[in-house]
């Protein structure tokens, strides 16, 4: 499988290189769908320029990246394009290896269950076959590299690509079972933007499952491992924060980075839900709704972890999707990351209910974003409501996509335990509902 | 009041307080107010002001046609103050001072707050005595939207003249200096005059009957325009030379002076496409014939425009002209504006362009002015320059006239300090729909609730086989069975 992967990498790098040299390379970094105030390349350059002028990059309200990004780009600013292409390639390879490792565990589990004859007889068609799963890792890498969202994000040199690379490496380390590396990459991802904190729970569940430690509150082995993992994670996070302090000898970056993410002072339009909501918010309620919207990102973790504690990999996918939809400054690069996982759930296709509607709406909204932006900002014939409406529709479509996959996954699990063709008491064919 | 169509009005007030501070104490008490308005004097004592410059300008001065003004000032209201060293909290004092001045001058100076106040480091040095240049005591603010009205001259209309401006009884040392200028440009043609003649009566509806009763001397200078048409002065005066006749009542002196050749013209331009990005380009044309002049160019920018300093370019004669010193203070949202000060060498006979890119921010709906589609004003840029040499002036005539010499403090072969302001820019920001707060809140919360609803449903329900609903008769029977406590059908 190395050869097709290499070919895929070559094609992806060629597409990005061609776009970097074309005239689109000046247009794309200006698009608000692709860059946000948190990860725009222009702001990284501005921060480094401010540092050269002798002013702290966090003195103004332009630069909201972490100090480690300053460290990194201070040395590689001239090779920025190569850095972002390498980041994309790294993400794709990491996802490839992660999904491959996950498939192996899935097969192993399936083999044991088949041997124990725990599957009902009529649901054997739902079982994974090696043939259909052979190309899934390559498809995952392809979905990431050739996704127009990813390509746009790379050409815009948005640091979202670097965040995605860190999260992909975290997933790889979790799947491979290395708790320390997984904790370090998770701490790096949390340090960049706070939201990957919610990935702590699925990573913990995955590692516990891998080590055959049952998730039981009374068991000491569970608590022992949890404490170890938490200690490694918090320790790495603390080390990174302290390193950042020593770069500029000030704690300014805390309010400029994390204060900015949490308090949402900048209302630049993007594809998320926050900007227009807080542009039109009554001052009296602003703090309340900031808290509501931020808690909304974090509070699905515990219920989802309880429901999906046997399926932590799917839980990782769900969490990344929830973060991408509900975070304060989303961009298309965040969406590209969770969309890369969709080929891994190919076997759920027969249970998806809204996939046609969702894909059409997503395509239409992606096409309408630049049109309505132009009409609002340049032509002046539309107003902000048009762009806001498309934002709403886009987010509804994403929510529908994620919940559809969740439904299909739960349904398949139900069939695997209760059989595929269900019969009612009188023998006639039954329908399943959620109650 | 004559018609001021296509004209320019500028009121400048400068108060300099010379403190003679002894090591142990400073003398601040002044009790004689004869020529100085009481209200202003009290304000200056109370807030420990060393120097106060305030100007109200309406209209844009066409320096190319009308020549340079004596005291340049930007359109709108400009206020800059040097405080005494004894002030402990300059920001609080500044805020109180602006509010009090707002009441005294009947202008909206109370809109001056931290979002439009800056502390320039190089451009605004104190003009009076005292060599203190600690920037902590300097505050500068400009309100480009202010208009000029006669109420701005309220302190001089009220009967507040009760003492003089001397510090001691014998009036040996001056304590305060007050300079006021009023610059008005009249449009000859629109004031309905077909013949090209004008008189003081036609312009001001009154003639000069006597000298100013409060002044020790009053002079009227009529300046010729060497490049334009020649005019005849009536009543004529025999003095048509460079010398000045010191006159008193009814004596007009015509002093032909060569205007200082126009060294600078300044303009500013905002290039923008749409409401998103823009480039602010103040440019300056120098017409000096001699060597390069060092100048400091200072550009404020409100926080509503996020400008990026790495896009700053200074070009002269098509080539990059790197500033030797840059002081840049980026803005903090809703706290302070941008401040950019640069020291640039201006080569002679060239056009210098300074370009900075900015992005326009979407603000909260409460932060827009009542007419948001008018746009937001970006204050004027200032260029302060030391122009190398100037046309020779007759110095003999300037010695007895301190006011005149302070306007033209030039001698032969010396450097001449000039300050020029650009026009303010009007920047259009993208606006949200102001009629939509409830709708937006409802719709966005609906989307969040849709997400919550789906996930809640899948998290709390399980799959169950659906029982078909029985017919109507059976349902009624089941109700009766339930009431009886009997097993259902």
């Amino acid at each position: 499988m190395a050869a097709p992967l290499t070919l895929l990498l070559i094609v992806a790098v060629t597409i990005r290189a061609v776009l970097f040299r074309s005239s689109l390379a000046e247009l794309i970094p200006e698009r608000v769908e692709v860059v946000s105030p948190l990860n725009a390349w222009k702001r990284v350059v501005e921060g480094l320029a401010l540092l050269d002028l002798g002013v702290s990059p966090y003195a103004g309200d332009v630069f909201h990246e972490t100090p480690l990004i300053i460290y990194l780009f201070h040395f590689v600013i001239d090779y920025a394009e190569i850095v972002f292409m390498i980041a994309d390639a790294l993400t794709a390879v990491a996802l490839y290896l992660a999904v491959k490792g996950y498939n192996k565990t899935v097969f192993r589990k399936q083999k044991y269950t088949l041997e124990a004859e725990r599957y009902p007889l009529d649901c054997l068609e739902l079982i994974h076959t090696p043939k259909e799963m052979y190309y899934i890792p390559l498809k995952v890498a392809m979905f990431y590299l050739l996704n127009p969202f990813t390509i746009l994000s790379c050409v815009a040199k948005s640091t979202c690509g670097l965040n995605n690379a860190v999260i992909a490496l975290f997933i790889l380390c979790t799947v491979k079972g290395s708790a320390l590396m997984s904790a370090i990459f998770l701490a790096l991802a949390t340090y960049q933007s706070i939201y990957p904190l919610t990935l702590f729970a699925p990573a913990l569940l995955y590692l516990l499952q891998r080590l055959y430690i049952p998730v039981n509150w009374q068991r000491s082995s569970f608590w022992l491992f949890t404490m170890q993992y938490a200690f490694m994670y918090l320790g790495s996070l603390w080390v990174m924060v302290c390193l950042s302090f020593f770069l500029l000898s000030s704690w300014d970056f805390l309010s400029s980075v994390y204060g900015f993410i949490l308090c949402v002072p900048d209302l630049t339009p993007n594809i998320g839900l926050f900007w227009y909501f807080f542009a039109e918010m009554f001052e009296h309620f602003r703090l309340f709704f900031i808290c509501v919207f931020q808690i909304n990102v974090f509070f699905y973790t515990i219920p989802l972890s309880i429901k999906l504690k046997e399926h932590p990999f799917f839980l990782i996918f769900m969490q990344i999707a929830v973060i991408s939809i509900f975070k304060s400054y989303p961009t298309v690069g965040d969406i590209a990351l969770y969309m890369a996982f969709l080929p891994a759930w190919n076997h759920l296709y027969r249970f998806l209910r809204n996939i046609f509607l969702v894909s059409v709406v997503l395509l239409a909204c992606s096409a309408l974003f630049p049109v309505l932006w132009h009409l609002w900002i340049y032509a002046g014939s539309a107003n902000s409501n048009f762009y806001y409406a498309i934002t709403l529709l886009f987010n509804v479509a994403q929510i529908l996509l994620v919940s559809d996959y969740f439904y299909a996954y739960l349904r398949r699990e139900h069939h695997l335990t209760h059989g595929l063709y269900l019969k009612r008491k009188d023998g006639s064919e039954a329908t399943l509902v959620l109650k | 009041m004559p018609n001021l169509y296509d004209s320019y009005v500028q009121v400048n007030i400068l108060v300099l307080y010379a403190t003679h501070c002894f090591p142990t104490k400073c003398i601040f008490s002044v009790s004689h107010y004869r020529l100085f308005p009481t209200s202003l004097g009290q304000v200056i004592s109370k807030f420990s002001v060393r120097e106060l410059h305030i100007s109200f300008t309406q209209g844009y001065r066409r320096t190319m046609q009308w020549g340079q003004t004596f005291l340049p000032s930007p359109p709108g209201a400009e206020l800059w103050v040097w405080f005494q060293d004894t002030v402990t909290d300059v920001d609080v004092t500044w805020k109180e001072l602006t509010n009090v001045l707002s009441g005294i001058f009947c202008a909206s100076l109370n809109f001056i707050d931290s979002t439009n106040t800056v502390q320039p480091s190089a451009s605004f040095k104190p003009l009076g005595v005292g060599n203190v240049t600690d920037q902590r005591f300097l505050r500068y603010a400009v309100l480009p939207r202010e208009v000029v009205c006669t109420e701005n001259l309220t302190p001089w209309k009220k009967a507040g003249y009760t003492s003089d401006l001397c510090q001691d009884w014998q009036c040996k040392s001056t304590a305060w200096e007050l300079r006021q200028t009023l610059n008005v440009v009249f449009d000859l043609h629109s004031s309905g005059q077909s013949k090209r003649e004008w008189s003081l009566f036609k312009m001001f509806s009154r003639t000069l009957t006597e000298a100013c009763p409060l002044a020790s001397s009053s002079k009227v200078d009529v300046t010729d325009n060497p490049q334009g048409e020649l005019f005849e002065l009536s009543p004529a005066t025999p003095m048509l030379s460079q010398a000045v006749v010191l006159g008193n009542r009814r004596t007009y002196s015509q002093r032909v002076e060569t205007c200082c050749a126009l060294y600078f013209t300044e303009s500013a331009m905002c290039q923008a496409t749409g409401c998103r990005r823009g480039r602010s380009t103040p440019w300056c044309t120098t017409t000096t014939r001699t060597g390069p002049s060092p100048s400091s160019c200072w550009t404020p920018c409100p926080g509503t425009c996020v400008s990026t300093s790495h896009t700053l370019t200074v070009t002269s004669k098509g080539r990059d002209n790197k500033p030797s010193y840059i002081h840049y203070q980026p803005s903090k949202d809703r706290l302070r504006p941008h401040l950019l000060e640069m020291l640039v060498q201006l080569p002679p006979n060239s056009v210098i362009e300074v370009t900075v890119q900015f992005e326009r921010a979407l603000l909260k709906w409460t932060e827009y002015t009542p007419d948001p589609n008018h746009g937001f004003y970006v204050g004027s840029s200032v260029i302060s320059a030391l122009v190398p040499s100037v046309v020779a002036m007759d110095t003999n005539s300037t010695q007895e006239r301190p006011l005149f010499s302070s306007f033209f403090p030039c001698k032969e072969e010396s450097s001449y300090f000039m300050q020029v302001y650009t026009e303010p820019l009007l920047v259009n920001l993208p606006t949200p729909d102001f009629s939509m707060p409830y709708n937006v809140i409802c719709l966005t919360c609906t989307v969040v609730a849709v997400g919550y609803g789906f996930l809640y449903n899948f998290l709390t329900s399980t799959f169950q086989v659906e029982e078909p609903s029985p017919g109507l008769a059976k349902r009624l029977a089941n109700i009766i069975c339930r009431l009886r406590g009997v097993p259902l059908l």
Side-chain angles (χ1 to χ4, degrees):
Chain A
M1 285 297 283
L5 182 63
T6 321
L7 182 64
L8 176 65
L9 285 172
I10 291 171
V11 167
V13 166
T14 311
I15 294 176
R16 285 160 173 76
V18 162
L19 282 172
F20 269 127
R21 291 285 163 262
S22 72
S23 62
L24 287 174
E26 273 119 36
L27 285 174
I28 292 175
E30 312 281 309
R31 302 285 337 161
V32 289
E33 297 92 8
V34 184
V35 297
S36 72
L38 272 179
N39 50 31
W41 177 245
K42 193 157 109 170
R43 292 180 183 243
V44 173
V45 173
E46 174 68 12
L48 292 171
L50 283 175
L51 204 57
D52 287 336
L53 274 179
V55 180
S56 161
Y58 301 109
D61 256 341
V62 173
F63 187 72
H64 300 287
E65 299 276 0
T66 52
L68 287 185
I69 293 277
I70 303 181
Y71 263 133
L72 173 69
F73 282 109
H74 192 63
F75 300 110
V76 297
I77 186 110
D78 298 322
Y79 310 107
E81 295 168 0
I82 298 180
V83 167
F84 287 104
M85 285 199 277
I86 290 177
D88 267 1
L90 201 61
T91 314
V93 168
L95 287 177
Y96 174 90
L97 294 171
V99 173
K100 207 160 156 185
Y102 170 66
N103 282 348
K104 284 202 189 101
T105 33
V106 162
F107 264 131
R108 201 172 348 130
K109 213 163 101 170
Q110 198 172 258
K111 195 172 92 162
Y112 292 149
T113 324
L114 271 175
E115 282 166 6
E117 284 177 6
R118 286 217 298 270
Y119 286 136
L121 287 166
D122 56 354
C123 71
L124 288 173
E125 61 192 79
L126 291 178
I127 308 274
H128 300 293
T129 56
K131 188 158 164 266
E132 74 190 26
M133 295 193 62
Y134 184 65
Y135 282 109
I136 284 182
L138 187 65
K139 280 188 196 164
V140 166
M142 194 158 59
F143 254 57
Y144 185 75
L145 281 175
L146 301 181
N147 193 349
F149 290 156
T150 325
I151 297 176
L152 284 175
S153 193
C154 181
V155 174
K157 292 190 273 205
S158 158
T159 53
C160 186
L162 299 177
N163 290 356
N164 288 354
V166 171
I167 295 179
L169 285 168
F170 149 73
I171 296 174
L172 175 64
C173 295
T174 311
V175 166
K176 292 295 180 204
S178 160
L180 178 64
M181 293 308 293
S182 159
I184 289 175
F185 280 117
L186 184 62
L188 194 56
T190 311
Y191 166 77
Q192 288 279 83
S193 68
I194 309 177
Y195 299 110
L197 174 63
T198 57
L199 293 172
F200 180 84
L204 182 65
L205 288 171
Y206 195 95
L207 290 166
L208 284 170
Q209 201 183 59
R210 204 166 186 279
L211 293 170
Y212 301 108
I213 301 172
V215 180
N216 195 339
W217 303 103
Q218 280 97 20
R219 290 220 124 125
S220 66
S221 52
F222 166 74
W223 286 112
L224 190 65
F225 186 80
T226 309
M227 286 299 124
Q228 278 176 340
Y229 191 64
F231 181 73
M232 285 190 282
Y233 169 67
L234 291 171
S236 337
L237 193 57
W238 176 246
V239 163
M240 283 169 207
V241 167
C242 287
L243 273 176
S244 314
F245 170 74
F246 286 123
L247 173 69
L248 291 169
S249 307
S250 76
W251 294 109
D252 285 345
F253 73 97
L254 288 177
S255 63
S256 275
V257 181
Y258 306 120
F260 184 79
I261 294 174
L262 291 175
C263 298
V264 196
D266 189 318
L267 299 170
T268 314
N270 50 52
I271 56 173
L273 296 165
F274 279 64
W275 63 281
Y276 206 50
F277 189 73
F278 290 105
E280 301 270 14
M281 175 50 61
F282 301 102
E283 277 308 306
H284 186 67
F285 295 109
R286 196 182 149 78
L287 182 61
F288 170 70
F289 278 105
I290 293 258
C291 296
V292 165
F293 272 53
Q294 297 290 2
I295 289 172
N296 186 47
V297 184
F298 290 99
F299 98 124
Y300 291 116
T301 309
I302 307 281
L304 279 173
S305 307
I306 294 171
K307 184 83 178 179
L308 292 171
K309 66 174 182 272
E310 309 292 326
H311 316 282
F313 197 75
F314 189 76
L315 180 58
I316 291 180
F317 163 73
M318 287 292 299
Q319 283 290 17
I320 293 177
V322 162
I323 293 171
S324 304
I325 298 170
F326 293 117
K327 70 193 283 195
S328 45
Y329 293 100
T331 59
V332 293
D334 301 308
I335 296 171
L337 183 63
Y338 79 80
M339 280 197 176
F341 282 95
L342 297 182
W345 324 121
N346 263 346
H347 54 277
L348 299 174
Y349 181 72
R350 59 191 297 165
F351 299 116
L352 293 171
R353 295 181 296 177
N354 303 318
I355 201 65
F356 175 69
L357 177 71
V358 163
S359 39
V360 166
V361 171
L362 284 176
L363 276 172
C365 288
S366 311
L368 279 174
F369 270 124
V371 171
L372 291 170
W373 178 260
H374 179 88
L375 282 180
W376 172 27
I377 298 288
Y378 297 103
S381 53
N383 63 9
S384 48
N385 295 333
F386 292 69
Y387 193 79
Y388 166 66
I390 295 300
T391 306
L392 284 183
L393 204 54
F394 192 70
N395 283 304
V396 166
Q398 283 187 78
I399 291 171
L400 210 54
L401 172 73
V402 169
S403 46
D404 212 15
Y405 269 91
F406 193 23
Y407 170 84
Y409 195 88
L410 291 175
R411 182 140 174 196
R412 180 176 173 268
E413 292 303 314
H414 183 266
H415 282 307
L416 282 177
T417 35
H418 296 104
L420 185 55
Y421 299 104
L422 300 164
K423 303 248 185 311
R424 272 190 243 119
K425 293 197 194 86
D426 53 0
S428 59
E429 210 173 306
T431 46
L432 270 184
V433 290
L434 274 174
K435 276 206 193 119
Chain B
M1 191 66 173
N3 192 355
L4 291 178
Y5 168 73
D6 190 26
S7 60
Y8 169 82
V9 179
Q10 177 200 30
V11 176
N12 252 311
I13 294 138
L14 161 62
V15 179
L16 298 172
Y17 185 49
T19 57
H20 301 285
C21 277
F22 299 104
T24 48
K25 59 183 172 139
C26 287
I27 303 169
F28 287 139
S29 60
V30 178
S31 54
H32 311 287
Y33 289 98
R34 189 160 59 82
L35 293 171
F36 203 88
T38 330
S39 50
L40 202 54
Q42 284 166 347
V43 161
I44 287 166
S45 308
K46 181 175 176 219
F47 292 108
S48 312
V49 169
R50 163 179 275 113
E51 229 177 86
L52 171 83
H53 301 246
I54 188 166
S55 75
F56 301 98
T57 312
Q58 186 171 341
Y60 182 62
R61 188 179 179 95
R62 300 178 201 282
T63 31
M64 294 300 283
Q65 296 163 18
W66 304 338
Q68 196 69 277
T69 179
F70 297 140
L71 283 179
S73 64
E78 184 202 35
L79 172 69
W80 53 285
V81 174
W82 276 94
F83 288 98
Q84 310 273 6
D85 327 4
T86 53
V87 174
T88 43
D89 192 341
V90 184
D91 290 311
V92 167
T93 319
W94 168 253
K95 185 88 191 128
E96 289 172 9
L97 177 67
T98 50
N99 279 309
V100 168
L101 287 175
S102 166
I104 291 176
F105 287 102
C106 302
S108 309
L109 298 175
N110 54 322
F111 283 122
I112 292 176
D113 56 11
S114 65
T115 58
N116 47 25
T117 306
V118 287
Q119 278 180 265
S121 64
S123 299
F124 291 94
K125 298 292 183 201
L127 297 181
V129 299
N131 280 330
V132 176
T133 52
D134 190 347
Q135 303 310 123
R136 287 183 298 127
F137 296 104
L138 169 65
R139 290 290 182 276
Y140 178 97
V142 65
L143 294 171
R145 281 188 95 143
E146 274 301 296
V147 294
V148 179
C149 63
T150 46
E151 268 80 24
N152 294 134
L153 300 171
T154 317
W156 285 269
K157 285 201 286 202
K158 298 207 169 159
Y161 305 102
T162 52
S163 297
D164 68 28
L165 39 64
C166 294
Q167 198 175 34
D168 53 0
W169 175 238
Q170 284 86 2
C171 204
K172 291 228 177 77
S173 54
T174 54
W176 284 349
E177 189 185 337
L178 171 69
R179 290 184 215 169
Q180 295 155 244
T181 62
L182 173 66
N183 257 306
V184 180
V185 174
F186 290 97
D187 187 353
L188 185 65
H189 296 287
S190 64
S191 48
Q193 307 192 13
S194 51
K195 290 186 283 187
R196 292 177 71 77
E197 66 179 33
W198 60 93
S199 69
L200 286 172
F201 181 73
K202 281 186 185 151
M203 288 198 288
F204 296 110
S205 308
R206 57 185 75 156
T207 55
L208 279 181
T209 50
E210 54 171 10
C212 177
L214 293 170
S216 51
S217 71
S218 314
K219 297 173 193 94
V220 176
D221 286 325
V222 179
T223 309
D224 203 352
N225 182 5
Q227 285 100 19
E229 309 161 27
L230 289 175
F231 288 93
E232 209 181 288
L233 185 63
S234 148
T237 162
M239 310 313 296
L240 289 170
S241 65
Q242 295 247 352
V244 171
V245 171
L246 298 173
N248 44 21
R249 300 172 52 118
R250 286 190 164 271
T251 307
Y252 296 93
S253 59
Q254 183 183 26
R255 178 178 49 79
V256 177
E257 80 193 53
T258 49
C259 300
C260 285
L262 195 63
Y263 287 106
F264 281 109
T265 50
E266 260 244 346
S267 273
M269 181 170 72
C270 174
Q271 306 166 334
T273 45
C275 303
R276 182 85 186 109
R277 267 151 254 284
R279 266 192 344 193
S280 157
T281 314
W283 78 82
C284 158
T285 314
T286 55
T287 52
T288 47
R289 287 180 292 279
T290 53
S293 37
S295 77
S296 100
C297 171
W298 173 65
T299 309
C301 201
T304 50
C305 305
V306 179
S307 71
T308 43
S309 67
H310 72 271
T311 53
L312 172 71
T313 55
V314 181
T315 50
S316 58
K317 293 180 175 167
R319 280 177 299 129
D320 257 348
N321 185 354
K322 216 162 155 26
S324 49
Y325 163 76
I326 296 183
H327 171 231
Y328 179 63
Q329 192 186 56
S331 77
K332 267 253 180 245
D333 259 352
R334 300 167 189 111
L335 271 183
R336 59 166 197 249
H338 285 288
L339 174 63
L340 174 65
E341 280 186 281
M342 301 179 290
L343 194 57
V344 182
Q345 287 280 58
L346 300 179
N349 279 326
S350 57
V351 177
I352 295 95
E353 237 184 64
V354 177
T355 310
V356 159
Q357 282 185 10
F358 59 87
E359 256 183 37
R360 287 179 257 210
L362 186 75
L363 307 172
K364 298 183 206 171
W365 70 308
T366 47
E367 289 172 346
Y368 286 89
T369 52
D371 51 349
N373 292 308
H374 178 74
F376 283 76
Y377 282 96
V378 176
S380 312
S381 299
V382 185
I383 291 190
S384 320
L386 275 176
V387 183
S389 73
V390 92
V391 178
M393 281 292 304
D394 188 353
T395 50
N396 294 333
S397 59
T398 62
Q399 269 151 12
E400 295 97 345
R401 304 169 65 189
L403 210 60
F404 178 75
S405 61
S406 70
F407 289 153
F408 295 100
C410 43
K411 301 186 277 291
E412 290 184 43
E413 309 300 330
S414 73
S415 289
Y416 174 70
F417 178 73
M418 272 186 81
Q419 219 169 32
V420 187
Y421 289 86
T422 62
E423 61 222 10
L425 300 175
L426 191 57
V427 172
N428 230 339
L429 291 182
T431 55
D433 189 345
F434 296 101
S435 62
M436 288 275 285
Y438 285 110
N439 301 348
V440 166
I441 294 173
C442 290
L443 289 169
T444 313
C445 290
T446 305
V447 170
V448 173
V450 160
Y452 174 81
F454 274 124
L455 286 174
Y456 176 81
N457 196 16
F458 298 142
L459 287 168
T460 52
S461 327
T462 49
F463 285 101
Q464 285 166 22
V465 175
E466 187 196 11
E467 296 297 323
S469 58
L472 181 62
K474 253 199 173 158
R475 269 189 270 152
L476 285 172
N478 278 337
I479 293 170
I480 298 170
C481 288
R482 267 195 223 111
L483 289 170
R484 283 174 59 195
V486 153
L488 298 172
L489 289 168

